[in-house]
Amino acid sequence: MDIATRVYNHKWKIDPIVRSLIDTDFYKLLMCQSVFRNRPDTTVTFSLINRSRHIRTADLIDEGELREQLDHVRTLSLARGESTWLRGNMFYGKRQMFRSDFMEWFENYRLPPYHLEKRDGQYELTFEGKWHEVMLWEIPALAIIMELRSRAVLRDMGRFELQVLYARAMTKLWEKVEKLRNLEDLRLADFGTRRRHSFLWQDWCVQAMQEGLGDSFVGTSNCLIAMRRDIEAIGTNAHELPMVYAALAADDDALRLAPYEVLADWHEEHEGNLRIILPDTYGTRGFLDNAPDWLAGWTGIRIDSGDPATGAEIAIAWWKERGEDPREKLVIFSDGLDVDKIVALQEQFAGRVRVSFGWGTLLTNDFRGLVKDDALAPFSLVCKAIAANGRPTVKLSDNPNKAMGPPEEIERYKRVFGVGEQEKLDVVV
């Protein structure tokens, strides 16, 4: 694929940023089905949040072009082949992962309306409605903003300049592959949909990983790419579930139990490698200390904030305390990864636990140092549930720089979940 020529020639109507409803992460569909089943009447508001405020998205991206892309996504529906793949494909060793009632709803689904404003050089993009209807906006909204930013930077580049740029980016990625390819027992997946440089680039990165890493590359979070490239769709659940469940809690006692209620619902629906704990929403240590014993029997843990080695050591100690053998457990690292960190973590924990990596933005959007003023460097953009049934949501994380929510509610959650002093770490992406 000649990506540079496609970029040079592209017009959004023939080369849209989001071209399918399944150009999304697998975990969103799994969570959507769970919400559809367990919380169908919950109303949720999602909002775009730019943690990198120095990137003034509203100054870079034309509002008309943004609206065209958002409106285009609202015209999409599930294609017949996509529905067949979701209904009949084997995911995590299981056929019919998606129930008939959910699929019937999804086959008639269209993304609901959005609300867009400009304020202080940033776009304020929000979605409000029934949880299972608005939650599927998250990934396409992020992908659109990120790629429009890329297009804005690349717009004035000539054909040969673009050829050189992509050649350098390809070389940069392949050098990473060469550092990883001889790493013993490596298991690595693409988690880079949300903040990718572009769809075409993510697809190229996945193909490069397939060729360069062979069986060590275990799949992609992107459903469309997984279907087209005939590889595993990878993903479990995210912070969105405990954030909304917690916001719905009637009092402090219910709040304290909310993260475990989420996983109890998940336990009824999934088994095996889909039983992965994401413990850091309100602090990993407190979550594990107060967790019911049945959670220790789950397959593993995903570490998505704080120091990853510290998080893994906490998990190992917890499993031992609960009478489990850590060597049989899976630890998935997924926060701010790049090749050197992957190598270090693999070497530190190999043989102590089963190690896997979800490599995100610095796989699918590492153009750092390749253009003037580093104008293509990735930045930290998220789309989060900010309210549920009119109540604000809160995320504490193991890194206070990732915390979100009203200050008074953050303090309440810290008290309820016993979160003490935390180390502030730079948010990479």
Side-chain angles (χ1 to χ4, degrees), residues 27-44 46 102 105 130-135 240-241 244-245 265-266 269-270:
Y27 78 89
K28 290 299 293 191
L29 298 185
L30 289 177
M31 292 196 303
C32 188
Q33 177 172 249
S34 181
V35 171
F36 178 83
R37 177 185 179 187
N38 296 301
R39 301 289 173 126
D41 297 323
T42 301
T43 298
V44 174
F46 282 78
F102 173 75
W105 169 80
K130 295 299 183 184
W131 187 5
H132 60 286
E133 295 175 353
V134 296
M135 66 185 295
E240 175 184 335
L241 290 178
V244 173
Y245 273 57
D265 285 345
W266 195 264
E269 297 183 57
H270 301 297

Side-chain angles (χ1 to χ4, degrees), residues 44-59:
V44 174
T45 302
F46 282 78
S47 179
L48 195 74
I49 300 170
N50 185 0
R51 294 171 176 151
S52 305
R53 301 293 291 180
H54 65 285
I55 303 294
R56 296 172 62 86
T57 55
D59 294 342

Side-chain angles (χ1 to χ4, degrees), residues 18 33 38 115 123 174 179-180 193 199 233 258 287 298 337:
V18 176
Q33 177 172 249
N38 296 301
H115 181 73
Y123 281 113
W174 195 253
K179 287 184 178 180
L180 294 172
T193 300
F199 173 81
F287 176 93
W298 272 32
L337 295 176

